[in-house]
Amino acid sequence: MEDGRPEAHVAAGEVVERLLALTGELHRLLAECAARADLTPQQAMLLRCLGQRRPMHTVAAELSCDPSNVTGLIDRLERRGLVERGPDAADRRVRVLSLTAAGRRVRAELERDLARAAALPAGLSPAELRQLLGLLAKFRPGGAEPR
Amino acid sequence: MEDGRPEAHVAAGEVVERLLALTGELHRLLAECAARADLTPQQAMLLRCLGQRRPMHTVAAELSCDPSNVTGLIDRLERRGLVERGPDAADRRVRVLSLTAAGRRVRAELERDLARAAALPAGLSPAELRQLLGLLAKFRPGGAEPR
DNA sequence: TATTGTTATACTCTATAACTATA
DNA sequence: TATAGTTATAGAGTATAACAATA
């Protein structure tokens, strides 16, 4: 708790502003890439989670949403033949999610598109990119969490 | 500009990963602050736009969404007495949006909460914060855009 | 008793198309 | 003709609560 200095507060407000703007831009970017793959942004995020087979509830945790929500998302992706629900040998309650061949193709295409679209930020040199990565790694919003 | 090196590509993929993760964290943060003010994240973003009175279509542009969408958002906020629709003296087609006294209170509370929650990242010194700001200002996802 | 996943429900968000009232 | 905003509609996302199956 050494920041009672006004500059820290000013910079802090500025960071909020820029980060929320960045979030908006990135979400727009994600939406565009998703749309090119005929997906919604949420479906795209779900597909990105499925690099490996995994049970539903871990996906819900990773997406920070309610499990009942994932049920609906998977329903729509399964109807399109991109995802499958399988049994778990060890625990008959769980449904293991996995990509179909078509799902793997769509996911790979999406990843390529995202890398192409987001990873060529004009105006940043490779050195600056590394610097940004380092700062983002240290940055933890809500890090000052009380209570 | 010494691109073309493999490291640049690796860093690029890493940036996508980190930025999407950051987007998720920030959205969660926004959702939490919004919820404390009894708002949805979208309603919070709309309120943030209304620091000054302004016509609806400029808000739609800033939020990058369809105007018909803003109609619904405003309907709900107006019903709660946070926003008002007023006439424009110069052009009778436009509806000028403005915050009520209650709306200003909620917005101020929200801004304070956001600054508190997001702007005190543990582990970043003031110098690093300034550095981060500079890099974020230069960063333009989709910067490879033609035209 | 607790956990995994689904269903039912209700709401919000979102875009498209058709409409109005202005300009 | 073009623009600002609304309405109607349809669909997607979201959480809550109740539930079945399993642990």
Side-chain angles (χ1 to χ4, degrees), chain A residues 40 42-43 65-66 68-69 73 76 91-93:
Chain A
T40 66
Q42 292 87 349
Q43 288 169 351
C65 72
D66 194 89
S68 67
N69 191 10
L73 287 167
R76 290 181 276 275
D91 187 336
R92 293 200 316 204
R93 291 173 303 179

Side-chain angles (χ1 to χ4, degrees), chain A residues 62-131:
Chain A
E62 182 152 332
L63 296 180
S64 302
C65 72
D66 194 89
S68 67
N69 191 10
V70 177
T71 296
L73 287 167
I74 295 296
D75 282 349
R76 290 181 276 275
L77 289 174
E78 195 176 32
R79 214 178 300 142
R80 288 181 45 187
L82 301 181
V83 175
E84 278 174 343
R85 279 182 246 237
D88 182 307
D91 187 336
R92 293 200 316 204
R93 291 173 303 179
V94 333
R95 309 274 258 155
V96 176
L97 303 177
S98 58
L99 296 177
T100 62
R104 279 189 294 275
R105 274 194 301 275
V106 171
R107 183 176 184 275
E109 173 198 343
L110 174 71
E111 292 292 290
R112 268 194 306 274
D113 197 10
L114 278 172
R116 186 192 56 71
L120 296 171
L124 282 195
S125 71
E128 287 175 322
L129 255 182
R130 273 193 297 277
Q131 206 176 28

Side-chain angles (χ1 to χ4, degrees), chain B residues 11 17 19 41 47 59 65 68 90 106 108 120 130 133:
Chain B
E17 207 57 50
L19 288 179
L47 234 56
V59 172
C65 72
S68 67
V106 171
L120 295 171
R130 271 193 298 278
L133 271 183

Side-chain angles (χ1 to χ4, degrees), chain B residues 40 42-43 65-66 68-69 73 76 91-93:
Chain B
T40 66
Q42 293 86 351
Q43 288 169 352
C65 72
D66 194 88
S68 67
N69 191 10
L73 287 166
R76 290 181 278 274
D91 186 336
R92 294 198 315 206
R93 291 173 303 179

